[in-house]
Amino acid sequence: MTIQRSKPRIVALLTAAILLILGIVATPQAGANPNAKTLSVVVMGDSYSAGNGAGSYFGPVDSFRSRNNYGHRYVDWLNRQGVHATLTTTAWSGNTTVDVVGGQIRQLPADADLVLFTIGGNDGNFGEIVSNCFALGMRSAQGCKARVAEARELINDTGPQGFRQRTENVLRVIDKRLARSEAEIVLIGYPHLSLPDPGYILRDCVRWQDSFCVEYVHYSAVNDIRRLADEAAAVQQALVDSWNRNSDRKVHYVNSIRSRFASHEPDPSVLNKNDYRWLNEFFETEGQRAKNGTTESRFSAEKMEWYHPNKIGHDEIAAAIREQIGVPDNAQAITPKSGNVDIVFAIDTTGSMVDDIDVVRANVTDIMSRVSEVTTSARFALVTYQDFPEAGGSLGDYPARVDHDFTSDSASLRAALDSLVVGGGGDYEEAVYSGIAAALDLDWRPGVKKMTIVLGDAPPKDPEPITGHAWQSIAQRAYEIDPVEVYGVDTAELASEPFTSLVEASGGQVLKVSDVADIPQAIVDTVDDVLAKPFAWIQGPYTLAVGEEVTLDGRASYAVTGELVKFEWDLDGDGVFERESSGPEITHAWTAPFSGTIGLRVTDSAGLVATGSTQVDVSDDGDGIPAADDNCPAVANHGQGDEDGDGIGNECDDTPGYPTEDMPHVSVVDQIPPTPTPQVPIKPSPPDTGAS
């Protein structure tokens, strides 16, 4: 293509488009609620944060992220206080401090206001302590004592690999990641693993003579494990105290969990249960309060759920956070400048665009600066597209590429623009959809405005050769990302009918300009409405069973000015909003399996509209796993555990492989029958072994 345009035209057009999209104006509109606040909350860490044992799991199967975890409970309370709080969960079952520092931290939104987490238990071999000290068939005095000693060695290690330094490493990477100086961090302590029981003493027979045990090893497991938890908490408390004396970033340590859970821990004996437990014991999950105040639960053969907070436990952890933190002081008032935004420039780099790109290069710093001044946080990325050399394009063309990932550094983005080579193009239509698809594949932040601005002069190929992209498939993908709105800056013939359908479906606009002088007045005429555009959010994802009722939660949605007056729901992912609710919540049950995106469209009192979306997975048994891949299709079995490896999930396997009795030569003192059987004679241990 060789369509030529003047250089100044594209600068004014692109700048005007950004201002229009963001709704930038010097003064806020009247009618904003001065008391309305937003808060971005993130839950990180290990299984005690993810929610193992609390049910209603979502996300990757082995993450055990639960909608009943303390983060959801706390955010639910914030919503009831009128704070429009969003929640992002990155916590993952089994993660250590190394996993958080090396992996989870990349998923932490930099614009988060409050980060909650538990960490360190897996560094101290939490799972092995539970198995070696309490589990039937695995417990032993020697094994338990060794695992506790290893954990204590870690806790007492003051070096770079010690417990304190590992925890501090997590604090430091979170601190570095957070962009807002006012953002706060909350480290949450662990409860004790069992009730105090001095009589729970493990003993192993280590020497036999003539069928009689003549030497035992004894270990007072419960007392030592409880001391271990106290010592770990003391280290974390001292770390936080030191941190707060030497750092500007405020860190809270919730050190009340052990005292709060007192008398609600599991009974260490496999023969008894604590009727008022807040941690799941063996072979159970989802403990909750019965009408008489006791704890009732359901059977679970998934060992990843045992010895973790049940539903009551997560309620109580959330209550501890509320009591210590309340509504955080850094909750942000809702104003036209309080929004965050991710913007991707998707630019046609075929031959006819050479002059335009030169002008964009010269002005990108000013564009980014103006946007950043009127938002809380803005990020920009650059994607370019051309055509398929084997399907109408020129030799050397490429369908799309990412030239720069999200950044707030204008110099870096300018350097990426400087490196662009313009040329080629071949036939008239271009690989516009491939450019948008590359933009959609980037790492967008949750809970922010998201937009792709397509700058081009030629229509898309629809459908595209090679990729098969059509406007409907690109619109669906944009919808799934909460969503991403697509805008077109059309300097010639970008706005063909398929492209305009895509833009309309995404909630964006096309700016088609015949004379640059017409742009300013168009912005003046629309800026008031765009500025007041509301925010829509569904607190998902959701995983549930066919026929199970769920309350879909849109309470984090808000109007920048006025109030929200309409809530419409797309419950089958087709983009049609077929149900309306009187408020931001709606109860629904799916009557058949479903896996896809649902949406909430909100309208404010000025008639302005915004859409939010989330993932929903509805399966026969509620674990979100399609029946064809489910090794226990009749039972919710999120972890898909198969202890004996026979292909039948633990939940529905009559013989899952768990031991039913203790190992030979191992016993628990307070469970030994008063009169030994002839087959296992008992001889008292020497006085200096601590036998009881």
Side-chain angles (χ1 to χ4, degrees):
M1 297 181 304
T2 58
I3 299 173
Q4 299 295 320
R5 296 171 301 282
S6 63
K7 293 181 180 180
R9 180 178 186 179
I10 194 66
V11 175
L13 182 57
L14 185 56
T15 303
I18 296 172
L19 297 180
L20 172 61
I21 292 164
L22 295 175
I24 295 172
V25 70
T27 57
Q29 289 186 339
N33 181 355
N35 299 317
K37 294 182 177 181
T38 65
L39 194 75
S40 171
V41 181
V42 180
V43 169
M44 303 183 69
D46 55 24
S47 55
Y48 271 56
S49 289
N52 293 44
S56 297
Y57 303 114
F58 64 91
V61 166
D62 55 349
S63 71
F64 281 91
R65 294 171 183 163
S66 170
R67 291 194 59 80
N68 296 318
N69 72 14
Y70 66 76
H72 279 272
R73 295 293 193 244
Y74 175 58
V75 166
D76 180 69
W77 176 81
L78 287 171
N79 290 154
R80 294 198 302 272
Q81 310 314 303
V83 179
H84 300 280
T86 62
L87 177 64
T88 302
T89 301
T90 69
W92 197 292
S93 174
N95 271 197
T96 65
T97 54
V98 173
D99 295 318
V100 173
V101 169
Q104 275 189 46
I105 193 64
R106 292 192 292 271
Q107 302 169 13
L108 171 62
D111 57 307
D113 301 309
L114 188 68
V115 178
L116 312 168
F117 71 103
T118 56
I119 201 63
N122 293 312
D123 293 70
N125 294 323
F126 158 78
E128 292 187 21
I129 288 176
V130 170
S131 298
N132 281 263
C133 300
F134 301 116
L136 190 70
M138 299 183 69
R139 60 188 178 180
S140 74
Q142 298 173 95
C144 180
K145 186 176 183 178
R147 301 293 84 75
V148 173
E150 291 165 0
R152 178 165 283 113
E153 182 179 0
L154 175 70
I155 290 169
N156 293 332
D157 185 350
T158 58
Q161 297 302 315
F163 183 65
R164 173 168 173 150
Q165 187 58 54
R166 293 188 188 197
T167 308
E168 185 173 346
N169 291 343
V170 175
L171 291 178
R172 291 196 180 282
V173 296
I174 294 175
D175 177 40
K176 184 178 180 180
R177 177 79 170 179
L178 293 173
R180 293 192 65 220
S181 60
E182 302 88 350
E184 298 182 1
I185 302 171
V186 180
L187 173 60
I188 302 163
Y190 296 101
H192 286 298
L193 289 177
S194 79
L195 290 167
D197 184 356
Y200 184 82
I201 299 175
L202 296 169
R203 69 177 183 178
D204 302 350
C205 181
V206 295
R207 190 161 65 91
W208 290 78
Q209 183 175 325
D210 298 329
S211 299
F212 285 81
C213 183
V214 296
E215 184 179 351
Y216 294 97
V217 170
H218 289 75
Y219 183 53
S220 183
V222 167
N223 289 346
D224 215 12
I225 292 170
R226 288 177 65 87
R227 282 196 299 270
L228 183 71
D230 293 337
E231 292 163 6
V235 170
Q236 290 191 327
Q237 180 68 73
L239 167 62
V240 170
D241 291 343
S242 175
W243 175 281
N244 286 330
R245 288 192 299 269
N246 298 287
S247 175
D248 294 332
R249 174 84 64 197
K250 188 172 184 179
V251 176
H252 305 266
Y253 184 52
V254 181
N255 200 10
S256 60
I257 303 301
R258 284 165 298 126
S259 59
R260 192 178 196 95
F261 274 61
S263 78
H264 297 286
E265 305 95 338
D267 191 306
S269 171
V270 295
L271 302 180
N272 303 308
K273 279 190 180 295
N274 179 0
D275 288 337
Y276 299 90
R277 60 199 176 277
W278 295 352
L279 295 174
N280 294 313
E281 297 190 1
F282 292 109
F283 294 102
E284 70 169 354
T285 189
E286 298 178 40
Q288 58 187 347
R289 283 191 181 91
K291 291 182 179 179
N292 63 0
T294 61
T295 299
E296 60 181 13
S297 63
R298 71 171 181 83
F299 173 82
S300 172
E302 175 51 68
K303 64 183 179 182
M304 298 301 292
E305 297 187 302
W306 308 339
Y307 273 75
H308 286 82
N310 56 27
K311 292 181 178 179
I312 310 170
H314 279 282
D315 286 341
E316 293 295 334
I317 296 173
I321 298 170
R322 293 198 307 268
E323 291 173 8
Q324 185 165 335
I325 312 299
V327 175
D329 295 336
N330 65 345
Q332 300 182 70
I334 296 173
T335 71
K337 289 183 62 174
S338 64
N340 303 316
V341 62
D342 282 350
I343 300 173
V344 179
F345 299 112
I347 300 178
D348 179 350
T349 57
T350 55
S352 61
M353 298 290 292
V354 61
D355 292 342
D356 305 330
I357 292 173
D358 284 343
V359 179
V360 173
R361 288 188 183 111
N363 290 271
V364 67
T365 300
D366 181 61
I367 292 170
M368 292 178 66
S369 176
R370 294 182 63 185
V371 172
S372 298
E373 287 174 359
V374 293
T375 60
T376 305
S377 172
R379 300 192 311 169
F380 305 83
L382 175 64
V383 169
T384 57
Y385 65 88
Q386 293 181 337
D387 205 346
F388 300 91
E390 64 271 58
S394 299
L395 185 65
D397 273 2
Y398 57 88
R401 73 182 183 205
V402 176
D403 293 89
H404 203 299
D405 207 339
F406 283 115
T407 182
S408 298
D409 182 356
S410 60
S412 178
L413 193 65
R414 169 63 193 267
L417 283 163
D418 286 344
S419 68
L420 296 183
V421 176
V422 180
D427 59 10
Y428 188 51
E429 293 85 3
E430 309 294 7
V432 179
Y433 296 155
S434 283
I436 300 173
L440 297 178
D441 285 341
L442 294 176
D443 187 18
W444 300 84
R445 291 179 293 177
V448 305
K449 287 185 177 180
K450 304 174 179 68
M451 53 199 68
T452 294
I453 302 173
V454 181
L455 173 62
D457 59 4
K461 293 184 173 180
D462 190 323
E464 277 188 0
I466 315 301
T467 67
H469 293 323
W471 79 263
Q472 296 94 335
S473 61
I474 297 297
Q476 180 61 33
R477 176 67 180 131
Y479 186 34
E480 293 168 354
I481 312 176
D482 187 36
V484 175
E485 296 181 345
V486 179
Y487 292 81
V489 178
D490 181 14
T491 59
E493 298 185 22
L494 171 65
S496 64
E497 164 50 32
F499 183 77
T500 56
S501 294
L502 163 61
V503 169
E504 181 180 354
S506 76
Q509 296 182 28
V510 172
L511 292 179
K512 184 173 178 61
V513 177
S514 57
D515 190 330
V516 68
D518 296 337
I519 294 297
Q521 188 58 49
I523 294 174
V524 170
D525 291 342
T526 59
V527 69
D528 286 345
D529 286 343
V530 175
L531 175 66
K533 191 172 184 179
F535 172 74
W537 177 267
I538 308 176
Q539 191 57 69
Y542 297 87
T543 302
L544 59 153
V546 172
E548 177 185 350
E549 281 198 344
V550 63
T551 298
L552 305 173
D553 186 358
R555 288 176 297 170
S557 307
Y558 60 85
V560 175
T561 60
E563 59 184 8
L564 297 179
V565 297
K566 183 183 287 189
F567 302 87
E568 300 170 283
W569 301 83
D570 167 22
L571 300 175
D572 56 10
D574 63 357
V576 177
F577 293 80
E578 66 273 7
R579 287 190 61 184
E580 185 173 339
S581 59
S582 58
E585 295 178 286
I586 191 171
T587 299
H588 184 70
W590 278 263
T591 58
F594 170 77
S595 180
T597 302
I598 65 168
L600 166 63
R601 184 168 65 192
V602 298
T603 305
D604 68 12
S605 49
L608 301 178
V609 175
T611 301
S613 62
T614 194
Q615 176 72 19
V616 171
D617 291 292
V618 183
S619 59
D620 291 340
D621 56 12
D623 61 9
I625 299 171
D629 302 320
D630 199 336
N631 68 8
C632 188
V635 183
N637 184 26
H638 181 81
Q640 295 293 286
D642 181 10
E643 188 72 14
D644 57 7
D646 63 358
I648 302 174
N650 296 330
E651 294 280 350
C652 51
D653 191 343
D654 292 336
T655 56
Y658 293 114
T660 58
E661 58 184 28
D662 275 314
M663 295 182 292
H665 318 323
V666 172
S667 59
V668 180
V669 170
D670 68 358
Q671 295 174 16
I672 296 173
T675 303
T677 61
Q679 291 80 9
V680 188
I682 302 296
K683 179 180 179 180
S685 302
D688 60 356
T689 64
S692 59

PDB file of all heavy atoms in Angstrom, residues 9-28:
ATOM      1  N   ARG A   9      -0.749  14.864  11.390  1.00  0.00           N
ATOM      2  CA  ARG A   9      -2.085  14.299  11.540  1.00  0.00           C
ATOM      3  C   ARG A   9      -2.097  13.115  12.506  1.00  0.00           C
ATOM      4  O   ARG A   9      -2.951  12.988  13.366  1.00  0.00           O
ATOM      5  CB  ARG A   9      -2.566  13.862  10.156  1.00  0.00           C
ATOM      6  CG  ARG A   9      -3.945  13.260  10.126  1.00  0.00           C
ATOM      7  CD  ARG A   9      -4.282  12.928   8.694  1.00  0.00           C
ATOM      8  NE  ARG A   9      -5.632  12.473   8.560  1.00  0.00           N
ATOM      9  CZ  ARG A   9      -6.162  12.134   7.400  1.00  0.00           C
ATOM     10  NH1 ARG A   9      -5.448  12.251   6.298  1.00  0.00           N
ATOM     11  NH2 ARG A   9      -7.399  11.712   7.335  1.00  0.00           N
ATOM     12  N   ILE A  10      -1.092  12.237  12.372  1.00  0.00           N
ATOM     13  CA  ILE A  10      -1.114  11.029  13.188  1.00  0.00           C
ATOM     14  C   ILE A  10      -0.837  11.323  14.648  1.00  0.00           C
ATOM     15  O   ILE A  10      -1.373  10.684  15.548  1.00  0.00           O
ATOM     16  CB  ILE A  10      -0.100   9.993  12.640  1.00  0.00           C
ATOM     17  CG1 ILE A  10      -0.367   8.620  13.258  1.00  0.00           C
ATOM     18  CG2 ILE A  10       1.321  10.412  12.953  1.00  0.00           C
ATOM     19  CD1 ILE A  10      -1.662   8.029  12.869  1.00  0.00           C
ATOM     20  N   VAL A  11       0.004  12.326  14.936  1.00  0.00           N
ATOM     21  CA  VAL A  11       0.293  12.674  16.328  1.00  0.00           C
ATOM     22  C   VAL A  11      -0.952  13.182  17.023  1.00  0.00           C
ATOM     23  O   VAL A  11      -1.316  12.740  18.118  1.00  0.00           O
ATOM     24  CB  VAL A  11       1.401  13.746  16.407  1.00  0.00           C
ATOM     25  CG1 VAL A  11       1.596  14.180  17.846  1.00  0.00           C
ATOM     26  CG2 VAL A  11       2.691  13.198  15.843  1.00  0.00           C
ATOM     27  N   ALA A  12      -1.629  14.114  16.388  1.00  0.00           N
ATOM     28  CA  ALA A  12      -2.845  14.648  16.991  1.00  0.00           C
ATOM     29  C   ALA A  12      -3.883  13.553  17.155  1.00  0.00           C
ATOM     30  O   ALA A  12      -4.578  13.469  18.172  1.00  0.00           O
ATOM     31  CB  ALA A  12      -3.395  15.782  16.130  1.00  0.00           C
ATOM     32  N   LEU A  13      -3.962  12.678  16.169  1.00  0.00           N
ATOM     33  CA  LEU A  13      -4.951  11.611  16.209  1.00  0.00           C
ATOM     34  C   LEU A  13      -4.679  10.628  17.336  1.00  0.00           C
ATOM     35  O   LEU A  13      -5.563  10.274  18.121  1.00  0.00           O
ATOM     36  CB  LEU A  13      -4.940  10.887  14.858  1.00  0.00           C
ATOM     37  CG  LEU A  13      -5.942   9.749  14.661  1.00  0.00           C
ATOM     38  CD1 LEU A  13      -7.344  10.241  14.880  1.00  0.00           C
ATOM     39  CD2 LEU A  13      -5.766   9.148  13.285  1.00  0.00           C
ATOM     40  N   LEU A  14      -3.420  10.198  17.444  1.00  0.00           N
ATOM     41  CA  LEU A  14      -3.088   9.217  18.467  1.00  0.00           C
ATOM     42  C   LEU A  14      -3.237   9.805  19.858  1.00  0.00           C
ATOM     43  O   LEU A  14      -3.786   9.178  20.765  1.00  0.00           O
ATOM     44  CB  LEU A  14      -1.658   8.721  18.255  1.00  0.00           C
ATOM     45  CG  LEU A  14      -1.193   7.592  19.176  1.00  0.00           C
ATOM     46  CD1 LEU A  14      -2.135   6.409  19.082  1.00  0.00           C
ATOM     47  CD2 LEU A  14       0.230   7.192  18.857  1.00  0.00           C
ATOM     48  N   THR A  15      -2.756  11.035  20.052  1.00  0.00           N
ATOM     49  CA  THR A  15      -2.900  11.687  21.355  1.00  0.00           C
ATOM     50  C   THR A  15      -4.366  11.865  21.708  1.00  0.00           C
ATOM     51  O   THR A  15      -4.804  11.596  22.836  1.00  0.00           O
ATOM     52  CB  THR A  15      -2.195  13.055  21.359  1.00  0.00           C
ATOM     53  OG1 THR A  15      -0.832  12.861  21.009  1.00  0.00           O
ATOM     54  CG2 THR A  15      -2.270  13.696  22.728  1.00  0.00           C
ATOM     55  N   ALA A  16      -5.155  12.307  20.741  1.00  0.00           N
ATOM     56  CA  ALA A  16      -6.583  12.505  20.994  1.00  0.00           C
ATOM     57  C   ALA A  16      -7.262  11.188  21.344  1.00  0.00           C
ATOM     58  O   ALA A  16      -8.114  11.129  22.232  1.00  0.00           O
ATOM     59  CB  ALA A  16      -7.245  13.116  19.757  1.00  0.00           C
ATOM     60  N   ALA A  17      -6.863  10.117  20.658  1.00  0.00           N
ATOM     61  CA  ALA A  17      -7.479   8.819  20.940  1.00  0.00           C
ATOM     62  C   ALA A  17      -7.213   8.376  22.363  1.00  0.00           C
ATOM     63  O   ALA A  17      -8.100   7.893  23.061  1.00  0.00           O
ATOM     64  CB  ALA A  17      -6.944   7.772  19.955  1.00  0.00           C
ATOM     65  N   ILE A  18      -5.968   8.540  22.821  1.00  0.00           N
ATOM     66  CA  ILE A  18      -5.633   8.130  24.186  1.00  0.00           C
ATOM     67  C   ILE A  18      -6.425   8.942  25.192  1.00  0.00           C
ATOM     68  O   ILE A  18      -6.979   8.421  26.159  1.00  0.00           O
ATOM     69  CB  ILE A  18      -4.127   8.289  24.438  1.00  0.00           C
ATOM     70  CG1 ILE A  18      -3.352   7.339  23.524  1.00  0.00           C
ATOM     71  CG2 ILE A  18      -3.785   8.015  25.892  1.00  0.00           C
ATOM     72  CD1 ILE A  18      -1.865   7.559  23.549  1.00  0.00           C
ATOM     73  N   LEU A  19      -6.494  10.258  24.963  1.00  0.00           N
ATOM     74  CA  LEU A  19      -7.233  11.110  25.901  1.00  0.00           C
ATOM     75  C   LEU A  19      -8.711  10.746  25.916  1.00  0.00           C
ATOM     76  O   LEU A  19      -9.364  10.729  26.966  1.00  0.00           O
ATOM     77  CB  LEU A  19      -7.056  12.582  25.528  1.00  0.00           C
ATOM     78  CG  LEU A  19      -5.619  13.115  25.603  1.00  0.00           C
ATOM     79  CD1 LEU A  19      -5.584  14.580  25.197  1.00  0.00           C
ATOM     80  CD2 LEU A  19      -5.036  12.947  26.991  1.00  0.00           C
ATOM     81  N   LEU A  20      -9.248  10.440  24.750  1.00  0.00           N
ATOM     82  CA  LEU A  20     -10.651  10.046  24.680  1.00  0.00           C
ATOM     83  C   LEU A  20     -10.901   8.750  25.423  1.00  0.00           C
ATOM     84  O   LEU A  20     -11.840   8.614  26.211  1.00  0.00           O
ATOM     85  CB  LEU A  20     -11.059   9.881  23.209  1.00  0.00           C
ATOM     86  CG  LEU A  20     -12.449   9.286  22.940  1.00  0.00           C
ATOM     87  CD1 LEU A  20     -13.522  10.189  23.532  1.00  0.00           C
ATOM     88  CD2 LEU A  20     -12.668   9.070  21.467  1.00  0.00           C
ATOM     89  N   ILE A  21     -10.011   7.767  25.205  1.00  0.00           N
ATOM     90  CA  ILE A  21     -10.181   6.466  25.832  1.00  0.00           C
ATOM     91  C   ILE A  21     -10.115   6.569  27.349  1.00  0.00           C
ATOM     92  O   ILE A  21     -10.890   5.970  28.083  1.00  0.00           O
ATOM     93  CB  ILE A  21      -9.108   5.492  25.303  1.00  0.00           C
ATOM     94  CG1 ILE A  21      -9.366   5.200  23.821  1.00  0.00           C
ATOM     95  CG2 ILE A  21      -9.098   4.193  26.087  1.00  0.00           C
ATOM     96  CD1 ILE A  21      -8.197   4.571  23.114  1.00  0.00           C
ATOM     97  N   LEU A  22      -9.152   7.326  27.846  1.00  0.00           N
ATOM     98  CA  LEU A  22      -8.957   7.423  29.283  1.00  0.00           C
ATOM     99  C   LEU A  22      -9.909   8.401  29.936  1.00  0.00           C
ATOM    100  O   LEU A  22     -10.086   8.398  31.156  1.00  0.00           O
ATOM    101  CB  LEU A  22      -7.517   7.854  29.592  1.00  0.00           C
ATOM    102  CG  LEU A  22      -6.437   6.850  29.177  1.00  0.00           C
ATOM    103  CD1 LEU A  22      -5.069   7.440  29.433  1.00  0.00           C
ATOM    104  CD2 LEU A  22      -6.598   5.562  29.933  1.00  0.00           C
ATOM    105  N   GLY A  23     -10.507   9.268  29.176  1.00  0.00           N
ATOM    106  CA  GLY A  23     -11.403  10.256  29.758  1.00  0.00           C
ATOM    107  C   GLY A  23     -10.643  11.315  30.529  1.00  0.00           C
ATOM    108  O   GLY A  23     -11.043  11.720  31.613  1.00  0.00           O
ATOM    109  N   ILE A  24      -9.525  11.779  30.006  1.00  0.00           N
ATOM    110  CA  ILE A  24      -8.696  12.740  30.719  1.00  0.00           C
ATOM    111  C   ILE A  24      -9.326  14.129  30.655  1.00  0.00           C
ATOM    112  O   ILE A  24      -9.706  14.612  29.592  1.00  0.00           O
ATOM    113  CB  ILE A  24      -7.280  12.778  30.105  1.00  0.00           C
ATOM    114  CG1 ILE A  24      -6.599  11.429  30.326  1.00  0.00           C
ATOM    115  CG2 ILE A  24      -6.456  13.914  30.683  1.00  0.00           C
ATOM    116  CD1 ILE A  24      -5.301  11.291  29.605  1.00  0.00           C
ATOM    117  N   VAL A  25      -9.399  14.777  31.786  1.00  0.00           N
ATOM    118  CA  VAL A  25      -9.896  16.142  31.867  1.00  0.00           C
ATOM    119  C   VAL A  25      -9.284  16.762  33.108  1.00  0.00           C
ATOM    120  O   VAL A  25      -8.901  16.061  34.047  1.00  0.00           O
ATOM    121  CB  VAL A  25     -11.447  16.177  31.948  1.00  0.00           C
ATOM    122  CG1 VAL A  25     -11.934  15.654  33.264  1.00  0.00           C
ATOM    123  CG2 VAL A  25     -11.986  17.570  31.652  1.00  0.00           C
ATOM    124  N   ALA A  26      -9.194  18.052  33.133  1.00  0.00           N
ATOM    125  CA  ALA A  26      -8.454  18.719  34.203  1.00  0.00           C
ATOM    126  C   ALA A  26      -9.150  18.659  35.545  1.00  0.00           C
ATOM    127  O   ALA A  26      -8.522  18.550  36.578  1.00  0.00           O
ATOM    128  CB  ALA A  26      -8.197  20.173  33.820  1.00  0.00           C
ATOM    129  N   THR A  27     -10.487  18.741  35.583  1.00  0.00           N
ATOM    130  CA  THR A  27     -11.197  18.775  36.857  1.00  0.00           C
ATOM    131  C   THR A  27     -12.226  17.667  36.906  1.00  0.00           C
ATOM    132  O   THR A  27     -12.831  17.311  35.899  1.00  0.00           O
ATOM    133  CB  THR A  27     -11.919  20.125  37.035  1.00  0.00           C
ATOM    134  OG1 THR A  27     -12.804  20.337  35.929  1.00  0.00           O
ATOM    135  CG2 THR A  27     -10.908  21.259  37.071  1.00  0.00           C
ATOM    136  N   PRO A  28     -12.471  17.064  38.073  1.00  0.00           N
ATOM    137  CA  PRO A  28     -13.449  15.974  38.194  1.00  0.00           C
ATOM    138  C   PRO A  28     -14.865  16.476  38.030  1.00  0.00           C
ATOM    139  O   PRO A  28     -15.176  17.626  38.318  1.00  0.00           O
ATOM    140  CB  PRO A  28     -13.206  15.442  39.604  1.00  0.00           C
ATOM    141  CG  PRO A  28     -12.603  16.586  40.339  1.00  0.00           C
ATOM    142  CD  PRO A  28     -11.801  17.348  39.346  1.00  0.00           C
TER     143      PRO A  28
END
